[in-house]
Structures are given as C-alpha cells and as structure tokens.
Amino acid sequence: MDVHNQLRQPRILVLEDSHLDAELIREHLETLKPVPEIRYAQNRKTYEEALDGDDYDVILADFSLPDFDGMSALELARDVAPEVPFIFVSGILGEEVAIESFRQGATDYVLKQRLIRLPAAVERALAEARERTERRDAERQKELLVRELSHRVKNTMAMVMSLVRRTVKTSSSLDDYVENLLGRLRALADAHALLFETNWNEAELLEVVRRTLAPQDRGTGRVRIDAGPLTLLAPKAALALSMVLNELATNAVKHGALSSEHGTVHVNWQTDSKGVLTLRWEESDGPAVQLPEETGFGMTLIERSVRYELNGEVRLEYLKTGLVCEIGIPLADLSG
C-alpha cells in the first residue's frame, strides 16, 4: 500500500445544522491521525455546493435536517460521488431506517449519543475505500496489460508470418530456408527475452548488440564490440535493431568476413551534437565483396527496418576489405 496515501490528510464533509453537534463531531474527528480537514454544510444549498466544489474521502450526515432529509443527502452523494463512504451521524435512527439506509448505499451509522464510535467508523470506512480503490486500480492495470500483450502478440505474429513468407521466396533450398528462418526467429526471440527481462521497458543498446551477435561469434572473439555512449532503446527500436544486426551477422557468416578463418567484424557507435546515433558495422580480412546484382530479402529487411521502424538511414559499402554498413538513427526515435 502507498505509504504516502496512508498518511495523507483525509478530507471530510460534515452535513450538520446544529453548531453544538458539529463541534462535538469535530472534537472526535480530531483524534484521528492524521487530523482530517473538515468542511461543514448546514442545509441543502451548502451541501450541494460542497459536493460540486470539492472531493472528499468521507461524508458524514445528520438524518433530520430543516429543509431535507438524510436519505435525500445520501441520494445526492451517490449521484455525485458514488465511491465516497457515507456515514449517518444521527440522534435517533430506527432499525428499519438503518436497514433502508444501508440498502441505499450508506456505509455505516453512528448515534450521536455514542460519538466515541465515530473515529473507528471513519477509519474503517477510509480503509475499505482505499482497498476498493487499490482493487479497482489493479483491475484497470490488469486490463491495460492484457490489451498491451494482445497488441504485442498480434504484431509479433504478423512479423513471424512475414519472415516465413519472405524467407521462402529468397531461399535456394529447404536447408537454406530452415537455416535462414531459424536464425531470424532466434534473433526475434532473443530480443523479446531481453525485453521481458526489463519488464518491456527500455533495453540497453550494448546488451542488444551482444545478445544478437553472440550466436555467430560463438566465443571466438572475432566479433569486436566497442561500446559507445550508453543508449537506451524503446522496445520497438530494440526489436528492429536486433533483426538488422542478425541479418548483417548471418550475411557475414555466409558470404563475408566470418565465412573465412581470419575474418573479423568490428561494431561501434557514436552520437553527435545533432542527436543522431551512428552505428558502424565493419568487416575485414574476409573475402572480397561486391555489390550484389539483386537485392536479397536480408538487405531489404535491413533497409526497411531502419527506414520505416527507426526513421533512420543506411549506407552500405562493398569494399575489397569487406562490407561496411553505417546506420544513422535519431536518438529520439530510439527512445520513443
């Protein structure tokens, strides 16, 4: 339970036309800790103004009033503030009237002859109201989480279906298809696992890079990561970058630096004064590479992910020393 809310000064509205009774009620309420803030109303007009003008934690009302009765006061309170506990404080309240008041939504009643019960009744009403609020907030949070999870599952399934379809079109054999698809699904799963560890909050770029490239490096040290500034990624950005890095690593294993015995990959990133992060992928000591005649699905996925998911740009260089890929992304699009 929130300690701050427990210690917050409660606000109590007291509907009472007798100044003497109002003073006695105040004396008993001031034994509460913390001492409540009390507002008084003496008739229907001031009561309606008080209900419309402020929020209260508890309403106390006499049953017999000069211009209207306690049941009318209860009805008004239920219309304006249905969640606020309502306690009758009356000189005489018969059993039938008490039962009817509970049926209409009253929380409790205290006889004026036994005002010593009032502090306990108010504390109990406040505790029950807090419990209801916390339960309602928990239910609301649960509903939000379920809707968010449903949305994410739908997005993930759409991505998986797209990967399946596109991988089929660009694979030369069944073995090639299985290898490519499993690699992409593994990258997607690893990114999701990292995000679940952070409770689907921001993930650190360094951890995303490490996890995505670890299966291709296999502890050989041929993939060198020089971490730049600490950069936190929103879930959408983390997923997109994971897929991009997986495609670059897969390509390096099949056709680039990691396909040869001594080839290496160097990954680093920096930020500039314009708020742009530049991630650089540089391969060396592998076979010479050249611009492909046709753009495969892997490179298409890289370019589309950076452009449409991250609002960034990709620059590819096919050098004799190996592939160089520079990705520029506004920091605002990584964190948002």
Side-chain angles (χ1 to χ4, degrees), residues 255 287-293 317-320 322-323:
H255 312 292
V289 294
Q290 57 184 4
L291 181 68
E293 296 181 2
E317 291 186 88
Y318 295 87
L319 306 178
K320 292 182 179 180
L323 175 70

Side-chain angles (χ1 to χ4, degrees), residues 4 23 27 41 56 58 65 137 141 146 175 201 212 310 320:
H4 180 269
E23 181 63 21
E27 289 179 2
Y56 301 95
V58 177
L65 298 154
D137 290 345
Q141 182 66 18
V146 170
D175 289 341
N201 290 317
T212 306
L310 301 171
K320 292 182 179 180

Side-chain angles (χ1 to χ4, degrees), residues 281-298:
W281 171 283
E282 184 174 0
E283 300 179 22
S284 58
D285 297 327
V289 294
Q290 57 184 4
L291 181 68
E293 296 181 2
E294 296 183 359
T295 302
F297 173 55

